[in-house]
PDB file of all heavy atoms in Angstrom:
ATOM      1  N   GLY A   1     -25.288  -5.455  -2.174  1.00  0.00           N
ATOM      2  CA  GLY A   1     -24.280  -5.099  -1.186  1.00  0.00           C
ATOM      3  C   GLY A   1     -24.127  -6.122  -0.077  1.00  0.00           C
ATOM      4  O   GLY A   1     -23.028  -6.312   0.453  1.00  0.00           O
ATOM      5  N   PHE A   2     -25.207  -6.787   0.287  1.00  0.00           N
ATOM      6  CA  PHE A   2     -25.135  -7.830   1.317  1.00  0.00           C
ATOM      7  C   PHE A   2     -24.204  -8.964   0.868  1.00  0.00           C
ATOM      8  O   PHE A   2     -23.351  -9.421   1.626  1.00  0.00           O
ATOM      9  CB  PHE A   2     -26.524  -8.405   1.605  1.00  0.00           C
ATOM     10  CG  PHE A   2     -27.466  -7.450   2.271  1.00  0.00           C
ATOM     11  CD1 PHE A   2     -28.819  -7.441   1.932  1.00  0.00           C
ATOM     12  CD2 PHE A   2     -27.028  -6.566   3.251  1.00  0.00           C
ATOM     13  CE1 PHE A   2     -29.698  -6.568   2.553  1.00  0.00           C
ATOM     14  CE2 PHE A   2     -27.904  -5.694   3.870  1.00  0.00           C
ATOM     15  CZ  PHE A   2     -29.248  -5.698   3.523  1.00  0.00           C
ATOM     16  N   SER A   3     -24.389  -9.418  -0.368  1.00  0.00           N
ATOM     17  CA  SER A   3     -23.568 -10.510  -0.887  1.00  0.00           C
ATOM     18  C   SER A   3     -22.102 -10.097  -0.987  1.00  0.00           C
ATOM     19  O   SER A   3     -21.197 -10.886  -0.673  1.00  0.00           O
ATOM     20  CB  SER A   3     -24.067 -10.937  -2.272  1.00  0.00           C
ATOM     21  OG  SER A   3     -25.379 -11.445  -2.208  1.00  0.00           O
ATOM     22  N   LEU A   4     -21.884  -8.858  -1.406  1.00  0.00           N
ATOM     23  CA  LEU A   4     -20.511  -8.370  -1.522  1.00  0.00           C
ATOM     24  C   LEU A   4     -19.850  -8.276  -0.144  1.00  0.00           C
ATOM     25  O   LEU A   4     -18.681  -8.615   0.020  1.00  0.00           O
ATOM     26  CB  LEU A   4     -20.508  -7.007  -2.213  1.00  0.00           C
ATOM     27  CG  LEU A   4     -19.141  -6.445  -2.615  1.00  0.00           C
ATOM     28  CD1 LEU A   4     -18.389  -7.435  -3.506  1.00  0.00           C
ATOM     29  CD2 LEU A   4     -19.297  -5.106  -3.325  1.00  0.00           C
ATOM     30  N   CYS A   5     -20.621  -7.834   0.840  1.00  0.00           N
ATOM     31  CA  CYS A   5     -20.118  -7.752   2.209  1.00  0.00           C
ATOM     32  C   CYS A   5     -19.724  -9.141   2.713  1.00  0.00           C
ATOM     33  O   CYS A   5     -18.673  -9.318   3.349  1.00  0.00           O
ATOM     34  CB  CYS A   5     -21.170  -7.130   3.123  1.00  0.00           C
ATOM     35  SG  CYS A   5     -20.645  -6.946   4.850  1.00  0.00           S
ATOM     36  N   GLN A   6     -20.555 -10.131   2.424  1.00  0.00           N
ATOM     37  CA  GLN A   6     -20.255 -11.516   2.822  1.00  0.00           C
ATOM     38  C   GLN A   6     -18.952 -12.002   2.194  1.00  0.00           C
ATOM     39  O   GLN A   6     -18.136 -12.652   2.857  1.00  0.00           O
ATOM     40  CB  GLN A   6     -21.390 -12.445   2.410  1.00  0.00           C
ATOM     41  CG  GLN A   6     -22.566 -12.470   3.372  1.00  0.00           C
ATOM     42  CD  GLN A   6     -23.598 -13.499   2.947  1.00  0.00           C
ATOM     43  OE1 GLN A   6     -24.171 -13.406   1.867  1.00  0.00           O
ATOM     44  NE2 GLN A   6     -23.827 -14.477   3.800  1.00  0.00           N
ATOM     45  N   LYS A   7     -18.751 -11.696   0.916  1.00  0.00           N
ATOM     46  CA  LYS A   7     -17.533 -12.116   0.228  1.00  0.00           C
ATOM     47  C   LYS A   7     -16.305 -11.450   0.848  1.00  0.00           C
ATOM     48  O   LYS A   7     -15.248 -12.075   1.003  1.00  0.00           O
ATOM     49  CB  LYS A   7     -17.631 -11.785  -1.265  1.00  0.00           C
ATOM     50  CG  LYS A   7     -18.652 -12.612  -2.033  1.00  0.00           C
ATOM     51  CD  LYS A   7     -18.705 -12.227  -3.485  1.00  0.00           C
ATOM     52  CE  LYS A   7     -19.777 -13.006  -4.239  1.00  0.00           C
ATOM     53  NZ  LYS A   7     -19.512 -14.449  -4.272  1.00  0.00           N
ATOM     54  N   ILE A   8     -16.448 -10.186   1.212  1.00  0.00           N
ATOM     55  CA  ILE A   8     -15.339  -9.474   1.849  1.00  0.00           C
ATOM     56  C   ILE A   8     -15.009 -10.108   3.199  1.00  0.00           C
ATOM     57  O   ILE A   8     -13.854 -10.404   3.516  1.00  0.00           O
ATOM     58  CB  ILE A   8     -15.673  -7.978   2.024  1.00  0.00           C
ATOM     59  CG1 ILE A   8     -15.683  -7.272   0.661  1.00  0.00           C
ATOM     60  CG2 ILE A   8     -14.687  -7.297   2.974  1.00  0.00           C
ATOM     61  CD1 ILE A   8     -16.189  -5.847   0.696  1.00  0.00           C
ATOM     62  N   ARG A   9     -16.043 -10.347   3.998  1.00  0.00           N
ATOM     63  CA  ARG A   9     -15.836 -10.869   5.351  1.00  0.00           C
ATOM     64  C   ARG A   9     -15.296 -12.305   5.365  1.00  0.00           C
ATOM     65  O   ARG A   9     -14.727 -12.738   6.345  1.00  0.00           O
ATOM     66  CB  ARG A   9     -17.130 -10.798   6.152  1.00  0.00           C
ATOM     67  CG  ARG A   9     -17.378  -9.445   6.761  1.00  0.00           C
ATOM     68  CD  ARG A   9     -16.336  -9.122   7.851  1.00  0.00           C
ATOM     69  NE  ARG A   9     -16.393  -7.699   8.193  1.00  0.00           N
ATOM     70  CZ  ARG A   9     -15.528  -6.795   7.765  1.00  0.00           C
ATOM     71  NH1 ARG A   9     -14.528  -7.157   6.981  1.00  0.00           N
ATOM     72  NH2 ARG A   9     -15.628  -5.539   8.119  1.00  0.00           N
ATOM     73  N   ALA A  10     -15.442 -13.013   4.252  1.00  0.00           N
ATOM     74  CA  ALA A  10     -14.907 -14.372   4.185  1.00  0.00           C
ATOM     75  C   ALA A  10     -13.382 -14.375   4.207  1.00  0.00           C
ATOM     76  O   ALA A  10     -12.760 -15.364   4.589  1.00  0.00           O
ATOM     77  CB  ALA A  10     -15.408 -15.070   2.927  1.00  0.00           C
ATOM     78  N   GLN A  11     -12.763 -13.221   3.824  1.00  0.00           N
ATOM     79  CA  GLN A  11     -11.303 -13.181   3.741  1.00  0.00           C
ATOM     80  C   GLN A  11     -10.653 -11.980   4.420  1.00  0.00           C
ATOM     81  O   GLN A  11      -9.482 -12.057   4.796  1.00  0.00           O
ATOM     82  CB  GLN A  11     -10.869 -13.156   2.267  1.00  0.00           C
ATOM     83  CG  GLN A  11     -11.268 -14.369   1.452  1.00  0.00           C
ATOM     84  CD  GLN A  11     -10.740 -14.263   0.039  1.00  0.00           C
ATOM     85  OE1 GLN A  11      -9.534 -14.249  -0.189  1.00  0.00           O
ATOM     86  NE2 GLN A  11     -11.650 -14.178  -0.926  1.00  0.00           N
ATOM     87  N   TYR A  12     -11.395 -10.878   4.579  1.00  0.00           N
ATOM     88  CA  TYR A  12     -10.753  -9.629   5.004  1.00  0.00           C
ATOM     89  C   TYR A  12     -11.422  -9.031   6.247  1.00  0.00           C
ATOM     90  O   TYR A  12     -12.603  -9.283   6.512  1.00  0.00           O
ATOM     91  CB  TYR A  12     -10.788  -8.599   3.859  1.00  0.00           C
ATOM     92  CG  TYR A  12     -10.230  -9.127   2.561  1.00  0.00           C
ATOM     93  CD1 TYR A  12     -11.080  -9.551   1.543  1.00  0.00           C
ATOM     94  CD2 TYR A  12      -8.852  -9.225   2.362  1.00  0.00           C
ATOM     95  CE1 TYR A  12     -10.571 -10.049   0.342  1.00  0.00           C
ATOM     96  CE2 TYR A  12      -8.336  -9.727   1.171  1.00  0.00           C
ATOM     97  CZ  TYR A  12      -9.203 -10.137   0.170  1.00  0.00           C
ATOM     98  OH  TYR A  12      -8.708 -10.630  -0.996  1.00  0.00           O
ATOM     99  N   THR A  13     -10.644  -8.215   6.975  1.00  0.00           N
ATOM    100  CA  THR A  13     -11.167  -7.595   8.202  1.00  0.00           C
ATOM    101  C   THR A  13     -11.297  -6.076   8.093  1.00  0.00           C
ATOM    102  O   THR A  13     -11.688  -5.430   9.063  1.00  0.00           O
ATOM    103  CB  THR A  13     -10.251  -7.914   9.398  1.00  0.00           C
ATOM    104  OG1 THR A  13      -8.929  -7.421   9.134  1.00  0.00           O
ATOM    105  CG2 THR A  13     -10.193  -9.407   9.663  1.00  0.00           C
ATOM    106  N   PHE A  14     -10.965  -5.486   6.925  1.00  0.00           N
ATOM    107  CA  PHE A  14     -11.071  -4.025   6.827  1.00  0.00           C
ATOM    108  C   PHE A  14     -12.533  -3.581   6.999  1.00  0.00           C
ATOM    109  O   PHE A  14     -13.457  -4.334   6.706  1.00  0.00           O
ATOM    110  CB  PHE A  14     -10.479  -3.498   5.513  1.00  0.00           C
ATOM    111  CG  PHE A  14     -11.088  -4.040   4.251  1.00  0.00           C
ATOM    112  CD1 PHE A  14     -12.305  -3.580   3.789  1.00  0.00           C
ATOM    113  CD2 PHE A  14     -10.422  -5.010   3.501  1.00  0.00           C
ATOM    114  CE1 PHE A  14     -12.867  -4.063   2.615  1.00  0.00           C
ATOM    115  CE2 PHE A  14     -10.966  -5.508   2.326  1.00  0.00           C
ATOM    116  CZ  PHE A  14     -12.187  -5.034   1.883  1.00  0.00           C
ATOM    117  N   PRO A  15     -12.747  -2.355   7.494  1.00  0.00           N
ATOM    118  CA  PRO A  15     -14.113  -1.887   7.782  1.00  0.00           C
ATOM    119  C   PRO A  15     -14.996  -1.810   6.544  1.00  0.00           C
ATOM    120  O   PRO A  15     -14.526  -1.492   5.444  1.00  0.00           O
ATOM    121  CB  PRO A  15     -13.896  -0.489   8.370  1.00  0.00           C
ATOM    122  CG  PRO A  15     -12.469  -0.450   8.785  1.00  0.00           C
ATOM    123  CD  PRO A  15     -11.732  -1.350   7.855  1.00  0.00           C
ATOM    124  N   VAL A  16     -16.276  -2.072   6.763  1.00  0.00           N
ATOM    125  CA  VAL A  16     -17.282  -1.970   5.705  1.00  0.00           C
ATOM    126  C   VAL A  16     -18.409  -1.061   6.195  1.00  0.00           C
ATOM    127  O   VAL A  16     -18.968  -1.280   7.270  1.00  0.00           O
ATOM    128  CB  VAL A  16     -17.867  -3.343   5.334  1.00  0.00           C
ATOM    129  CG1 VAL A  16     -19.008  -3.193   4.317  1.00  0.00           C
ATOM    130  CG2 VAL A  16     -16.783  -4.257   4.774  1.00  0.00           C
ATOM    131  N   ILE A  17     -18.718  -0.039   5.411  1.00  0.00           N
ATOM    132  CA  ILE A  17     -19.844   0.855   5.698  1.00  0.00           C
ATOM    133  C   ILE A  17     -20.909   0.608   4.636  1.00  0.00           C
ATOM    134  O   ILE A  17     -20.633   0.671   3.438  1.00  0.00           O
ATOM    135  CB  ILE A  17     -19.419   2.334   5.676  1.00  0.00           C
ATOM    136  CG1 ILE A  17     -18.371   2.604   6.756  1.00  0.00           C
ATOM    137  CG2 ILE A  17     -20.638   3.249   5.873  1.00  0.00           C
ATOM    138  CD1 ILE A  17     -17.813   4.025   6.734  1.00  0.00           C
ATOM    139  N   MET A  18     -22.123   0.301   5.079  1.00  0.00           N
ATOM    140  CA  MET A  18     -23.216   0.038   4.149  1.00  0.00           C
ATOM    141  C   MET A  18     -24.048   1.306   3.930  1.00  0.00           C
ATOM    142  O   MET A  18     -24.299   2.060   4.874  1.00  0.00           O
ATOM    143  CB  MET A  18     -24.135  -1.059   4.683  1.00  0.00           C
ATOM    144  CG  MET A  18     -23.446  -2.368   5.039  1.00  0.00           C
ATOM    145  SD  MET A  18     -22.719  -3.229   3.634  1.00  0.00           S
ATOM    146  CE  MET A  18     -24.184  -3.715   2.700  1.00  0.00           C
ATOM    147  N   LEU A  19     -24.483   1.518   2.699  1.00  0.00           N
ATOM    148  CA  LEU A  19     -25.399   2.612   2.365  1.00  0.00           C
ATOM    149  C   LEU A  19     -26.796   2.038   2.177  1.00  0.00           C
ATOM    150  O   LEU A  19     -26.991   1.134   1.360  1.00  0.00           O
ATOM    151  CB  LEU A  19     -24.959   3.318   1.085  1.00  0.00           C
ATOM    152  CG  LEU A  19     -23.570   3.961   1.071  1.00  0.00           C
ATOM    153  CD1 LEU A  19     -23.301   4.579  -0.290  1.00  0.00           C
ATOM    154  CD2 LEU A  19     -23.454   5.016   2.158  1.00  0.00           C
ATOM    155  N   THR A  20     -27.769   2.543   2.950  1.00  0.00           N
ATOM    156  CA  THR A  20     -29.144   2.062   2.830  1.00  0.00           C
ATOM    157  C   THR A  20     -29.994   3.135   2.165  1.00  0.00           C
ATOM    158  O   THR A  20     -29.919   4.306   2.532  1.00  0.00           O
ATOM    159  CB  THR A  20     -29.742   1.703   4.202  1.00  0.00           C
ATOM    160  OG1 THR A  20     -29.827   2.885   5.006  1.00  0.00           O
ATOM    161  CG2 THR A  20     -28.888   0.695   4.926  1.00  0.00           C
ATOM    162  N   ALA A  21     -30.792   2.720   1.182  1.00  0.00           N
ATOM    163  CA  ALA A  21     -31.613   3.679   0.433  1.00  0.00           C
ATOM    164  C   ALA A  21     -32.740   4.235   1.282  1.00  0.00           C
ATOM    165  O   ALA A  21     -33.172   5.355   1.105  1.00  0.00           O
ATOM    166  CB  ALA A  21     -32.173   3.026  -0.819  1.00  0.00           C
ATOM    167  N   LYS A  22     -33.225   3.421   2.223  1.00  0.00           N
ATOM    168  CA  LYS A  22     -34.321   3.845   3.089  1.00  0.00           C
ATOM    169  C   LYS A  22     -33.926   3.593   4.533  1.00  0.00           C
ATOM    170  O   LYS A  22     -32.988   2.860   4.814  1.00  0.00           O
ATOM    171  CB  LYS A  22     -35.602   3.068   2.764  1.00  0.00           C
ATOM    172  CG  LYS A  22     -36.109   3.254   1.347  1.00  0.00           C
ATOM    173  CD  LYS A  22     -37.289   2.334   1.080  1.00  0.00           C
ATOM    174  CE  LYS A  22     -36.856   0.889   0.961  1.00  0.00           C
ATOM    175  NZ  LYS A  22     -37.967  -0.019   0.580  1.00  0.00           N
ATOM    176  N   ASP A  23     -34.668   4.190   5.425  1.00  0.00           N
ATOM    177  CA  ASP A  23     -34.392   3.986   6.845  1.00  0.00           C
ATOM    178  C   ASP A  23     -35.031   2.674   7.291  1.00  0.00           C
ATOM    179  O   ASP A  23     -35.913   2.636   8.143  1.00  0.00           O
ATOM    180  CB  ASP A  23     -34.936   5.167   7.657  1.00  0.00           C
ATOM    181  CG  ASP A  23     -34.384   5.163   9.076  1.00  0.00           C
ATOM    182  OD1 ASP A  23     -33.445   4.404   9.338  1.00  0.00           O
ATOM    183  OD2 ASP A  23     -34.899   5.919   9.906  1.00  0.00           O
ATOM    184  N   GLU A  24     -34.592   1.581   6.654  1.00  0.00           N
ATOM    185  CA  GLU A  24     -35.166   0.269   6.911  1.00  0.00           C
ATOM    186  C   GLU A  24     -34.371  -0.447   7.986  1.00  0.00           C
ATOM    187  O   GLU A  24     -33.193  -0.753   7.810  1.00  0.00           O
ATOM    188  CB  GLU A  24     -35.171  -0.569   5.632  1.00  0.00           C
ATOM    189  CG  GLU A  24     -36.167  -0.102   4.583  1.00  0.00           C
ATOM    190  CD  GLU A  24     -37.601  -0.464   4.927  1.00  0.00           C
ATOM    191  OE1 GLU A  24     -37.796  -1.210   5.906  1.00  0.00           O
ATOM    192  OE2 GLU A  24     -38.515  -0.001   4.227  1.00  0.00           O
ATOM    193  N   GLU A  25     -35.016  -0.726   9.103  1.00  0.00           N
ATOM    194  CA  GLU A  25     -34.326  -1.363  10.222  1.00  0.00           C
ATOM    195  C   GLU A  25     -33.781  -2.742   9.842  1.00  0.00           C
ATOM    196  O   GLU A  25     -32.673  -3.111  10.226  1.00  0.00           O
ATOM    197  CB  GLU A  25     -35.289  -1.499  11.407  1.00  0.00           C
ATOM    198  CG  GLU A  25     -34.599  -1.565  12.758  1.00  0.00           C
ATOM    199  CD  GLU A  25     -33.918  -0.259  13.132  1.00  0.00           C
ATOM    200  OE1 GLU A  25     -34.179   0.781  12.494  1.00  0.00           O
ATOM    201  OE2 GLU A  25     -33.093  -0.288  14.048  1.00  0.00           O
ATOM    202  N   ILE A  26     -34.548  -3.485   9.041  1.00  0.00           N
ATOM    203  CA  ILE A  26     -34.126  -4.841   8.688  1.00  0.00           C
ATOM    204  C   ILE A  26     -32.866  -4.810   7.844  1.00  0.00           C
ATOM    205  O   ILE A  26     -31.991  -5.677   7.973  1.00  0.00           O
ATOM    206  CB  ILE A  26     -35.263  -5.607   7.954  1.00  0.00           C
ATOM    207  CG1 ILE A  26     -34.874  -7.082   7.765  1.00  0.00           C
ATOM    208  CG2 ILE A  26     -35.604  -4.941   6.634  1.00  0.00           C
ATOM    209  CD1 ILE A  26     -34.686  -7.854   9.028  1.00  0.00           C
ATOM    210  N   ASP A  27     -32.722  -3.811   6.966  1.00  0.00           N
ATOM    211  CA  ASP A  27     -31.515  -3.689   6.148  1.00  0.00           C
ATOM    212  C   ASP A  27     -30.301  -3.429   7.022  1.00  0.00           C
ATOM    213  O   ASP A  27     -29.223  -4.000   6.815  1.00  0.00           O
ATOM    214  CB  ASP A  27     -31.656  -2.550   5.129  1.00  0.00           C
ATOM    215  CG  ASP A  27     -32.533  -2.943   3.945  1.00  0.00           C
ATOM    216  OD1 ASP A  27     -32.844  -4.145   3.836  1.00  0.00           O
ATOM    217  OD2 ASP A  27     -32.893  -2.062   3.157  1.00  0.00           O
ATOM    218  N   LYS A  28     -30.464  -2.557   8.017  1.00  0.00           N
ATOM    219  CA  LYS A  28     -29.357  -2.242   8.919  1.00  0.00           C
ATOM    220  C   LYS A  28     -28.937  -3.471   9.703  1.00  0.00           C
ATOM    221  O   LYS A  28     -27.749  -3.790   9.818  1.00  0.00           O
ATOM    222  CB  LYS A  28     -29.766  -1.120   9.879  1.00  0.00           C
ATOM    223  CG  LYS A  28     -30.088   0.194   9.189  1.00  0.00           C
ATOM    224  CD  LYS A  28     -30.657   1.191  10.174  1.00  0.00           C
ATOM    225  CE  LYS A  28     -31.055   2.480   9.480  1.00  0.00           C
ATOM    226  NZ  LYS A  28     -31.693   3.440  10.412  1.00  0.00           N
ATOM    227  N   ILE A  29     -29.922  -4.165  10.251  1.00  0.00           N
ATOM    228  CA  ILE A  29     -29.639  -5.359  11.056  1.00  0.00           C
ATOM    229  C   ILE A  29     -28.969  -6.435  10.209  1.00  0.00           C
ATOM    230  O   ILE A  29     -27.991  -7.056  10.624  1.00  0.00           O
ATOM    231  CB  ILE A  29     -30.934  -5.907  11.691  1.00  0.00           C
ATOM    232  CG1 ILE A  29     -31.441  -4.914  12.753  1.00  0.00           C
ATOM    233  CG2 ILE A  29     -30.703  -7.269  12.317  1.00  0.00           C
ATOM    234  CD1 ILE A  29     -32.815  -5.244  13.296  1.00  0.00           C
ATOM    235  N   THR A  30     -29.476  -6.635   8.978  1.00  0.00           N
ATOM    236  CA  THR A  30     -28.897  -7.635   8.084  1.00  0.00           C
ATOM    237  C   THR A  30     -27.450  -7.302   7.761  1.00  0.00           C
ATOM    238  O   THR A  30     -26.564  -8.161   7.827  1.00  0.00           O
ATOM    239  CB  THR A  30     -29.706  -7.739   6.780  1.00  0.00           C
ATOM    240  OG1 THR A  30     -31.055  -8.087   7.085  1.00  0.00           O
ATOM    241  CG2 THR A  30     -29.110  -8.797   5.858  1.00  0.00           C
ATOM    242  N   GLY A  31     -27.192  -6.046   7.432  1.00  0.00           N
ATOM    243  CA  GLY A  31     -25.833  -5.621   7.093  1.00  0.00           C
ATOM    244  C   GLY A  31     -24.867  -5.824   8.247  1.00  0.00           C
ATOM    245  O   GLY A  31     -23.759  -6.350   8.068  1.00  0.00           O
ATOM    246  N   LEU A  32     -25.256  -5.430   9.438  1.00  0.00           N
ATOM    247  CA  LEU A  32     -24.397  -5.579  10.611  1.00  0.00           C
ATOM    248  C   LEU A  32     -24.174  -7.047  10.939  1.00  0.00           C
ATOM    249  O   LEU A  32     -23.074  -7.453  11.331  1.00  0.00           O
ATOM    250  CB  LEU A  32     -25.013  -4.852  11.810  1.00  0.00           C
ATOM    251  CG  LEU A  32     -25.073  -3.326  11.701  1.00  0.00           C
ATOM    252  CD1 LEU A  32     -25.899  -2.748  12.837  1.00  0.00           C
ATOM    253  CD2 LEU A  32     -23.675  -2.719  11.705  1.00  0.00           C
ATOM    254  N   THR A  33     -25.211  -7.849  10.783  1.00  0.00           N
ATOM    255  CA  THR A  33     -25.091  -9.280  11.065  1.00  0.00           C
ATOM    256  C   THR A  33     -24.132  -9.951  10.090  1.00  0.00           C
ATOM    257  O   THR A  33     -23.414 -10.886  10.463  1.00  0.00           O
ATOM    258  CB  THR A  33     -26.473  -9.957  10.991  1.00  0.00           C
ATOM    259  OG1 THR A  33     -27.344  -9.351  11.949  1.00  0.00           O
ATOM    260  CG2 THR A  33     -26.382 -11.440  11.297  1.00  0.00           C
ATOM    261  N   LEU A  34     -24.087  -9.490   8.855  1.00  0.00           N
ATOM    262  CA  LEU A  34     -23.197 -10.076   7.850  1.00  0.00           C
ATOM    263  C   LEU A  34     -21.762  -9.590   7.987  1.00  0.00           C
ATOM    264  O   LEU A  34     -20.888 -10.045   7.253  1.00  0.00           O
ATOM    265  CB  LEU A  34     -23.715  -9.747   6.441  1.00  0.00           C
ATOM    266  CG  LEU A  34     -25.036 -10.415   6.057  1.00  0.00           C
ATOM    267  CD1 LEU A  34     -25.504  -9.918   4.696  1.00  0.00           C
ATOM    268  CD2 LEU A  34     -24.892 -11.931   6.034  1.00  0.00           C
ATOM    269  N   GLY A  35     -21.524  -8.670   8.939  1.00  0.00           N
ATOM    270  CA  GLY A  35     -20.151  -8.247   9.188  1.00  0.00           C
ATOM    271  C   GLY A  35     -19.842  -6.797   8.884  1.00  0.00           C
ATOM    272  O   GLY A  35     -18.697  -6.365   9.014  1.00  0.00           O
ATOM    273  N   ALA A  36     -20.844  -6.013   8.467  1.00  0.00           N
ATOM    274  CA  ALA A  36     -20.600  -4.584   8.257  1.00  0.00           C
ATOM    275  C   ALA A  36     -20.297  -3.917   9.599  1.00  0.00           C
ATOM    276  O   ALA A  36     -20.775  -4.357  10.642  1.00  0.00           O
ATOM    277  CB  ALA A  36     -21.818  -3.929   7.599  1.00  0.00           C
ATOM    278  N   ASP A  37     -19.505  -2.858   9.558  1.00  0.00           N
ATOM    279  CA  ASP A  37     -19.130  -2.164  10.785  1.00  0.00           C
ATOM    280  C   ASP A  37     -20.033  -0.981  11.080  1.00  0.00           C
ATOM    281  O   ASP A  37     -20.178  -0.570  12.228  1.00  0.00           O
ATOM    282  CB  ASP A  37     -17.679  -1.682  10.681  1.00  0.00           C
ATOM    283  CG  ASP A  37     -16.713  -2.847  10.577  1.00  0.00           C
ATOM    284  OD1 ASP A  37     -16.332  -3.384  11.622  1.00  0.00           O
ATOM    285  OD2 ASP A  37     -16.366  -3.234   9.447  1.00  0.00           O
ATOM    286  N   ASP A  38     -20.624  -0.409  10.043  1.00  0.00           N
ATOM    287  CA  ASP A  38     -21.475   0.767  10.237  1.00  0.00           C
ATOM    288  C   ASP A  38     -22.391   0.897   9.031  1.00  0.00           C
ATOM    289  O   ASP A  38     -22.214   0.222   8.010  1.00  0.00           O
ATOM    290  CB  ASP A  38     -20.599   2.018  10.381  1.00  0.00           C
ATOM    291  CG  ASP A  38     -21.310   3.167  11.087  1.00  0.00           C
ATOM    292  OD1 ASP A  38     -22.500   2.990  11.472  1.00  0.00           O
ATOM    293  OD2 ASP A  38     -20.699   4.229  11.266  1.00  0.00           O
ATOM    294  N   TYR A  39     -23.383   1.752   9.144  1.00  0.00           N
ATOM    295  CA  TYR A  39     -24.288   2.017   8.028  1.00  0.00           C
ATOM    296  C   TYR A  39     -24.676   3.481   8.052  1.00  0.00           C
ATOM    297  O   TYR A  39     -24.596   4.148   9.076  1.00  0.00           O
ATOM    298  CB  TYR A  39     -25.545   1.145   8.105  1.00  0.00           C
ATOM    299  CG  TYR A  39     -26.340   1.327   9.377  1.00  0.00           C
ATOM    300  CD1 TYR A  39     -27.221   2.405   9.529  1.00  0.00           C
ATOM    301  CD2 TYR A  39     -26.194   0.432  10.433  1.00  0.00           C
ATOM    302  CE1 TYR A  39     -27.937   2.580  10.698  1.00  0.00           C
ATOM    303  CE2 TYR A  39     -26.903   0.606  11.613  1.00  0.00           C
ATOM    304  CZ  TYR A  39     -27.776   1.677  11.735  1.00  0.00           C
ATOM    305  OH  TYR A  39     -28.467   1.853  12.906  1.00  0.00           O
ATOM    306  N   ILE A  40     -25.052   3.982   6.905  1.00  0.00           N
ATOM    307  CA  ILE A  40     -25.523   5.358   6.814  1.00  0.00           C
ATOM    308  C   ILE A  40     -26.684   5.386   5.824  1.00  0.00           C
ATOM    309  O   ILE A  40     -26.676   4.672   4.820  1.00  0.00           O
ATOM    310  CB  ILE A  40     -24.392   6.320   6.395  1.00  0.00           C
ATOM    311  CG1 ILE A  40     -24.809   7.781   6.563  1.00  0.00           C
ATOM    312  CG2 ILE A  40     -23.920   6.046   4.984  1.00  0.00           C
ATOM    313  CD1 ILE A  40     -23.642   8.743   6.532  1.00  0.00           C
ATOM    314  N   THR A  41     -27.714   6.155   6.136  1.00  0.00           N
ATOM    315  CA  THR A  41     -28.947   6.162   5.350  1.00  0.00           C
ATOM    316  C   THR A  41     -28.937   7.271   4.301  1.00  0.00           C
ATOM    317  O   THR A  41     -28.573   8.407   4.579  1.00  0.00           O
ATOM    318  CB  THR A  41     -30.156   6.351   6.283  1.00  0.00           C
ATOM    319  OG1 THR A  41     -30.132   5.346   7.286  1.00  0.00           O
ATOM    320  CG2 THR A  41     -31.455   6.251   5.513  1.00  0.00           C
ATOM    321  N   LYS A  42     -29.343   6.914   3.088  1.00  0.00           N
ATOM    322  CA  LYS A  42     -29.535   7.915   2.031  1.00  0.00           C
ATOM    323  C   LYS A  42     -30.866   8.632   2.239  1.00  0.00           C
ATOM    324  O   LYS A  42     -31.839   7.984   2.650  1.00  0.00           O
ATOM    325  CB  LYS A  42     -29.548   7.234   0.658  1.00  0.00           C
ATOM    326  CG  LYS A  42     -28.244   6.571   0.247  1.00  0.00           C
ATOM    327  CD  LYS A  42     -28.435   5.922  -1.126  1.00  0.00           C
ATOM    328  CE  LYS A  42     -27.207   5.193  -1.595  1.00  0.00           C
ATOM    329  NZ  LYS A  42     -27.396   4.571  -2.913  1.00  0.00           N
ATOM    330  N   PRO A  43     -30.957   9.915   1.925  1.00  0.00           N
ATOM    331  CA  PRO A  43     -29.845  10.780   1.540  1.00  0.00           C
ATOM    332  C   PRO A  43     -28.978  11.116   2.757  1.00  0.00           C
ATOM    333  O   PRO A  43     -29.494  11.241   3.867  1.00  0.00           O
ATOM    334  CB  PRO A  43     -30.554  12.035   1.002  1.00  0.00           C
ATOM    335  CG  PRO A  43     -31.854  12.071   1.728  1.00  0.00           C
ATOM    336  CD  PRO A  43     -32.253  10.637   1.934  1.00  0.00           C
TER     337      PRO A  43
END
């Protein structure tokens, strides 16, 4: 998902919400840094 988010942000500005399998802080930070707008933790 990180790589896909990067590809999206290279051309588009529509919102991206990331789904994280665990409550991992590093995953959230990485996703937001790559251009995601929000994240939600599974389940």
Side-chain angles (χ1 to χ4, degrees):
F2 292 142
S3 297
L4 189 56
C5 181
Q6 278 185 298
K7 291 179 183 296
I8 289 172
R9 277 293 166 258
Q11 298 182 64
Y12 307 101
T13 59
F14 58 77
V16 175
I17 298 175
M18 305 295 292
L19 300 179
T20 64
K22 299 174 288 185
D23 194 12
E24 289 285 352
E25 205 67 14
I26 188 63
D27 283 349
K28 297 172 183 176
I29 292 171
T30 301
L32 293 171
T33 300
L34 292 175
D37 296 275
D38 202 0
Y39 59 81
I40 191 164
T41 305
K42 295 179 182 180

